[in-house]
Amino acid sequence: MKLDLKSMSRKELERLRTHIDKALQKLIGSEKKAVKMHGFSLTEIVDTTPMAEPKTKFAPKYADPTDKTKTWTGRGKPPDWFKAALKSGKTPDDLAV
């Protein structure tokens, strides 16, 4: 069954979402019962591995002399303002925060 979601009105989409939520809750309930019936706990079935840690944010090392809100950590590709400042005779030390 393929639904054309783009042609549905907001009211129709909300009704569909309600039906989907109810169907999912019913399915989850029956899955939990089946798991218990076979002697397992939910944590034995579901992957409880913690998610990856968020990437570390690095403190800015350089700031645009004309706009201090533009900064760069010194990692990755240098921003255009950094390259332009170097071409104009500035040194990285001049741009250091």
Side-chain angles (χ1 to χ4, degrees):
M1 177 172 120
K2 186 174 180 178
L3 295 174
D4 184 12
L5 300 177
K6 291 181 182 178
S7 69
M8 295 176 76
S9 70
R10 180 186 181 108
K11 190 172 184 175
E12 291 170 325
L13 288 170
E14 288 174 348
R15 191 176 314 124
L16 178 62
R17 179 173 49 186
T18 301
H19 290 304
I20 290 171
D21 289 342
K22 286 180 183 177
L24 282 171
Q25 290 305 316
K26 189 174 183 179
L27 182 62
I28 290 168
S30 63
E31 287 174 342
K32 285 181 182 179
K33 285 180 186 175
V35 166
K36 287 181 182 178
M37 188 174 77
H38 292 288
F40 294 101
S41 71
L42 195 55
T43 56
E44 291 174 306
I45 304 297
V46 177
D47 182 17
T48 58
T49 308
M51 294 182 69
E53 293 292 322
K55 290 185 177 182
T56 304
K57 290 194 175 189
F58 296 96
K61 285 186 177 181
Y62 305 102
D64 184 348
T66 60
D67 182 359
K68 296 294 183 185
T69 63
K70 296 179 183 177
T71 60
W72 180 48
T73 62
R75 297 173 179 265
K77 184 179 175 184
D80 291 337
W81 62 261
F82 186 84
K83 292 187 266 185
L86 294 180
K87 283 184 182 176
S88 71
K90 301 263 188 202
T91 66
D93 289 336
D94 296 332
L95 304 172
V97 174

